[in-house]
Every structure is written in C-alpha cells, then in structure tokens.
Amino acid sequence: MKSPAELEAMRAAGALVAQVLTAVTELARPGVSTGELDALAEQIIRGAGAVPSFLGYHGYPASICASVNEQIVHGIPSTAQVLADGDLVSVDCGAILDGWHGDAAVTIPVGAVSAADAALSAACEAALHAGIAAVQPGGRLSDISHAVQTACEDAARRDGVAYGIVQEYGGHGIGTSMHMDPFLPNYGDPGQGPRLKPGMALAVEPMLTAGDPETLELADGWTVVTADGGRAVHWEHTVAITEDGPRVLTLPA
Ligand code: MF3
Ligand code: CO
C-alpha cells in the first residue's frame, strides 16, 4: 500500500517512462536498429537521474525490451536488428526514480503495417484500457483479468479473427520493486483474488497473438516468441488504485 506522497513519487517515475516511450516511438522507423532505441532510452532515463530497471535484472543486458513481429516480450535490443517497413515492435521500458518503479509498454507500427497487424495492436491496446477501467477500489484482482479477456474476445469477434491471449506472462504488483505480488493473469473469471484497495499499484499488460498463444523461449534465455511464428503485440501501463478509481501513472506529464 502506498501513501498519496508515495504515489506521487511513482507518478514521477511513470512520467519518465512515458517520456522514454514517446521518444522511442518517434525514433522507430525503417532503417533504425532496436539497439539505437535502447541507447536513446538509457540516455533519457539516466539524464533524468533515474536508473533503467531492466538493465541487470536477472542479468538482462539492456534498458528496454524490443520485441519485433513474432517476438512477444523480452526481445533483446541489438544494433544488428534493423527495423523494416511493416514491422511491429513492442517496446517495454522500466525506470527507477527515487526508489520507485514505473513500467510500461507500447507496440509501435514501423512504416506502413498491414491492416491485420494494426487491428491486432488496437485490440491489445483496447484490452489494456478495459483492464485499467476494472482497477476499482472494492473490486477483485480477477475483475481486471476478466475485463482484459472480454475485451480481447470482443475485438476478435469484431475483427473476425481468433486472437490468442498469452497465458505464461501477465501483469504484477509494482512499487519499490518492478515485480511484486500479486501476479495478474490476462484471462479468468471475475470476482476472485485479492480485494483491490486504494494505495495499491499494478502493472496491467496484455499480450496478444494473431494466432495460437503458445510461447517458446529462444536460446538467448530471454526472447519469448510465438510457437507458430505469428505476430504478437504488448501494451502496458502502471496503474494506481485510488478512492476515485484507476490512476494511470505512466502517462506523459
Ligand atoms: N517490464 C517487463 C514487465 O512488464 C519485464 C521485463 S524483464 C527484463 O513486467 F528483464 F527484461 F527487464
Ligand atoms: Co510489467
């Protein structure tokens, strides 16, 4: 549970993460490498007197995750990975400012992406916002899971496709560490799990696939890809529970 002053400190960390994602989104275009996106992110984070939370996390070697096309999450940025027209790159970023964490992710279209890819990303972003809307005092954790799942299913029906919801990864509590209890699945029945109370903070982060949601981890020990090679997307915000409902901490200042 965080005090109002502590949530303000988390808001500052979140605003920095948002600033990084805005800058990375502007830089991401055909011909730019994911290594360059990482360098920009680290420069902005350190320039603000903050620390990249991903760097060194269980040995992770970069300040962002950059997951391209069939990569779902935890893609390692590299100067060898040059973005091409039509790619989808999911960028996940975390920063620690004054001891408090912010964590957020966006999926960025590189150049002109297909209508199907744009719809997949829009479905995931809508699911994120549906999940955020369920971050209500007095509710239960799985209300968020259920809202995410329902939004994915609604989008799939509307788009006439069968999106997959990744099951092995999900949201989490966040505060003085990046990953805190509870784990927050992106599917499930409502009305279960811990009661949501003002002062809690959660990272809500749906991951959707164009096809089957089964995942594989590459031999680098990090990169998670779709088993069927289909495309994947990832959207995330850090959200606080207030008396008045959800407060998104990772919006631009
Ligand atoms: N930020 C990711 C998440 O949203 C976790 C990244 S782990 C790292 O929970 F090691 F890659 F940093
Ligand atoms: Co997260």
Side-chain angles (χ1 to χ4, degrees):
M1 308 295 285
K2 287 86 175 171
S3 69
E6 289 170 339
L7 286 181
E8 287 311 312
M10 280 190 74
R11 167 71 184 122
L16 175 59
V17 170
Q19 183 192 341
V20 171
L21 291 177
T22 299
V24 164
T25 300
E26 279 170 21
L27 180 59
R29 56 187 137 73
V32 173
S33 73
T34 57
E36 289 170 77
L37 303 183
D38 182 60
L40 176 64
E42 180 168 5
Q43 184 195 325
I44 294 171
I45 292 168
R46 295 204 188 276
V51 175
S53 52
F54 293 10
L55 191 62
Y57 181 83
H58 295 282
Y60 186 75
S63 296
I64 60 169
C65 299
S67 306
V68 182
N69 296 340
E70 78 286 356
Q71 299 176 353
I72 306 168
V73 285
H74 305 166
I76 301 173
S78 162
T79 51
Q81 182 153 43
V82 177
L83 297 170
D85 190 49
D87 281 349
L88 276 181
V89 59
S90 299
V91 175
D92 191 345
C93 180
I96 312 166
L97 185 62
D98 296 330
W100 294 96
H101 284 251
D103 185 7
V106 293
T107 294
I108 306 163
V110 179
V113 301
S114 73
D117 285 349
L120 172 65
S121 187
C124 190
E125 188 178 9
L128 167 61
H129 287 288
I132 291 170
V135 178
Q136 294 291 346
R140 297 281 198 136
L141 187 72
S142 83
D143 296 349
I144 306 168
S145 308
H146 185 71
V148 169
Q149 178 181 351
T150 302
C152 292
E153 290 168 352
D154 289 349
R157 206 172 300 113
R158 192 182 54 237
D159 296 343
V161 290
Y163 296 135
I165 300 175
V166 173
Q167 305 220 344
E168 293 89 339
Y169 305 88
H172 48 91
I174 181 169
T176 51
S177 301
M178 173 164 60
H179 289 150
M180 303 176 85
D181 284 339
F183 177 71
L184 172 56
N186 286 311
Y187 61 93
D189 294 331
Q192 277 148 43
R195 183 79 61 189
L196 303 177
K197 297 197 179 85
M200 290 176 171
L202 295 165
V204 182
E205 50 178 317
M207 286 146 264
L208 283 196
T209 63
D212 193 281
E214 196 192 329
T215 68
L216 292 175
E217 191 183 281
L218 298 188
D220 63 17
W222 283 104
T223 312
V224 179
V225 299
T226 56
D228 67 5
R231 291 199 164 187
V233 294
H234 178 209
W235 285 85
E236 176 179 22
H237 271 306
T238 298
V239 186
I241 307 173
T242 77
E243 303 281 359
D244 305 325
R247 178 182 180 198
V248 180
L249 299 175
T250 41
L251 289 174

